[in-house]
Amino acid sequence: MTGVDPGIAAVARSLQERVDELATAMCDRIRGEIDFYTAVDAVTAEELHRSVRGNLTTIFEQFTGEGRPGPRAPQRTGRERALQGAPLPEVLHAFRTSFAYLWDTLVAEARASGTVGSDSLVDVAADVWRLMGEYADAVATSYRETAAELMLQREHERSVLVEALLTGVVSDRAALWRTAVTLQLPLEGRFLVVAAEVPAAGREALPGIVPLLETRDVRSAWRLLPDRQIGVLALESAGTAGDVLALLRREPAARTGVSPVYDALKDTPEALRLARIALDALPAGTPAVAQFEESPIALLAAAAPAEAGRMARAVLGPLLDLPADDRSALLGTLDAWLDCGGSARETGRRLYCHPNTVRYRLRRVEALTGRSPGDPRGLSELSAARDVLRILPQSGGTDR
């Protein structure tokens, strides 16, 4: 502030001597006008008084010419209020209230002194309201910067907790409870794990998924890894799982695997493993969504993937070594025949070919594998091998 008026400087020094009294009166006005400072205990009376006193002292120093101009005090207030969780509109309202009180007090003291003319008051009025704008800007900027820091810090903390939950590092119930509280997830209920392939390191596979899930009353916590975006979803009801799958499948953004529904948060690591299996079973390069099948064969394959893969190779053997087109035709026919309940006619309709073509291909399957689809034992082995290859496609060395 340049050109300090001697009369105003004297008034400011007089008020400076009463700074504690003025700060107390100013705090009373703030609490009287702004409900936040009385209804919520985030900012104590002592903290409010200290902040108001600090800002008043800085202002008086500027009017007396004794202090260095600068927004240090309001910056400190903005940071403190952000850390305390005070809403920014209420913080700015408090500053406007404070400056209005300061102006009334300054005018009254100046008139009582008899040494300050009207012109000086007009000049100081411009200084007061200019300061109010500078202080408000400093408070808001500091508040927003601190809030952004807190958001990043909290997101990092949440991400670390999600990682601990996914990997099973959180094992004892007390630690699991603290994790659940922080992530706003229940300990027990209905859960899904979603694992989606990211387009590039550092980029989300499912951008905007959190607010989208919230519209379905689904709470979630996510972890972004170099190759996957993984989420733990808490479902509100039995039907919500279907809603989530429908939502993900509406416009699939990435290859996405979904676990079966599970009922205890501690089982998240196993659910993640099943979601990854469902993801890996999807064709490369094609956005799609698959949920791990909760069938006996699927569970066995997930429990012992190496042994399941060896079983599939042993059953289908030479068929898997055929050229890709031939192999695809035979396996596709076997799949359709199984889906159609063993009806060559229905299979032909589905594949747009003659029933005799279906029978011919099935005879080739039998010749190559040594197992007849018409024999119960052979059929069970062929069906189990096909299920394994659908769940663990890499086990058969195919591109399916």
Side-chain angles (χ1 to χ4, degrees):
M1 184 180 296
T2 58
V4 177
D5 183 280
I8 293 297
V11 168
R13 276 190 288 271
S14 174
L15 293 175
Q16 194 171 27
E17 294 173 358
R18 298 160 45 204
V19 67
D20 283 317
E21 170 195 336
L22 294 174
T24 298
M26 196 172 285
C27 288
D28 290 341
R29 177 171 290 192
I30 289 172
R31 285 194 292 270
E33 291 189 14
I34 306 171
D35 292 339
F36 171 80
Y37 289 93
T38 54
V40 180
D41 60 1
V43 182
T44 67
E46 293 77 12
E47 288 168 334
L48 180 61
H49 187 278
R50 184 174 63 251
S51 175
V52 169
R53 189 186 189 284
N55 282 289
L56 273 176
T57 298
T58 302
I59 292 170
F60 289 146
E61 287 175 350
Q62 293 194 55
F63 278 115
T64 61
E66 297 169 354
R68 290 188 307 164
R72 295 183 306 280
Q75 285 173 342
R76 184 167 55 252
T77 300
R79 181 169 184 81
E80 288 175 353
R81 297 298 174 266
L83 291 171
Q84 292 163 333
L88 181 57
E90 275 72 5
V91 177
L92 294 176
H93 188 179
F95 263 81
R96 289 192 295 270
T97 299
S98 299
F99 269 93
Y101 180 86
L102 173 63
W103 171 244
D104 291 342
T105 303
L106 192 63
V107 169
E109 187 75 12
R111 286 175 175 166
S113 71
T115 60
V116 179
S118 298
D119 290 344
S120 294
L121 282 177
V122 169
D123 291 339
V124 81
D127 289 334
V128 167
W129 301 118
R130 177 181 56 78
L131 272 178
M132 187 185 76
E134 291 177 357
Y135 271 46
D137 288 344
V139 167
T141 300
S142 178
Y143 182 102
R144 293 190 180 105
E145 289 175 350
T146 304
E149 291 174 14
L150 288 173
M151 183 179 297
L152 288 174
Q153 179 181 334
R154 287 167 187 158
E155 283 303 311
H156 176 69
E157 290 173 354
R158 282 177 60 86
S159 183
V160 169
L161 288 175
V162 174
E163 176 74 7
L165 183 61
L166 293 169
T167 57
V169 172
V170 180
S171 54
D172 66 277
R173 188 168 179 82
L176 187 62
W177 180 83
R178 289 192 295 271
T179 299
V181 169
T182 303
L183 298 178
Q184 297 182 311
L185 298 173
L187 280 175
E188 296 180 349
R190 297 178 62 81
F191 304 94
L192 284 176
V193 169
V194 173
E197 184 179 52
V198 301
R203 290 180 56 192
E204 293 187 349
L206 305 171
I209 188 63
V210 173
L212 198 57
L213 289 172
E214 287 175 350
T215 64
R216 272 72 175 178
D217 295 323
V218 175
R219 286 170 290 167
S220 60
W222 294 82
R223 176 83 164 112
L224 184 60
L225 301 175
D227 61 338
R228 300 285 187 267
Q229 182 182 3
I230 300 171
V232 182
L233 282 56
L235 312 177
E236 289 296 315
S237 63
T240 312
D243 293 340
V244 169
L245 286 169
L247 181 67
L248 293 172
R249 285 170 174 158
R250 187 169 302 159
E251 292 182 11
R255 292 169 68 229
T256 304
V258 182
S259 74
V261 175
Y262 61 107
D263 56 14
L265 198 60
K266 65 180 178 61
D267 296 330
T268 296
E270 175 61 13
L272 171 60
R273 193 170 71 87
L274 300 181
R276 286 184 181 276
I277 290 173
L279 168 59
D280 292 339
L282 290 168
T286 303
V289 178
Q291 184 177 26
F292 185 89
E293 298 177 8
E294 214 168 5
S295 68
I297 295 298
L299 293 173
L300 285 172
E307 290 75 8
R310 281 194 289 271
M311 180 275 289
R313 285 290 309 181
V315 170
L316 296 174
L319 193 156
L320 299 177
D321 296 328
L322 292 174
D325 290 345
D326 203 9
R327 180 181 65 228
S328 178
L330 295 184
L331 290 176
T333 300
L334 177 60
D335 290 343
W337 188 79
L338 291 169
D339 290 341
C340 292
S343 168
R345 186 179 299 278
E346 289 302 319
T347 302
R349 285 198 185 100
R350 176 175 293 193
L351 299 179
Y352 302 102
C353 64
H354 195 277
N356 285 340
T357 302
V358 173
R359 297 185 184 98
Y360 168 74
R361 291 175 180 173
L362 292 177
R363 286 195 295 271
R364 287 196 63 200
V365 169
E366 179 180 356
L368 288 164
T369 64
R371 291 165 175 84
S372 170
D375 172 66
R377 185 183 298 275
L379 177 60
S380 65
E381 293 180 357
L382 288 170
S383 179
R386 285 302 294 133
D387 284 343
V388 167
L389 288 189
R390 273 193 294 269
I391 298 161
L392 307 171
Q394 67 277 13
S395 299
T398 74
D399 55 0
R400 289 177 59 80

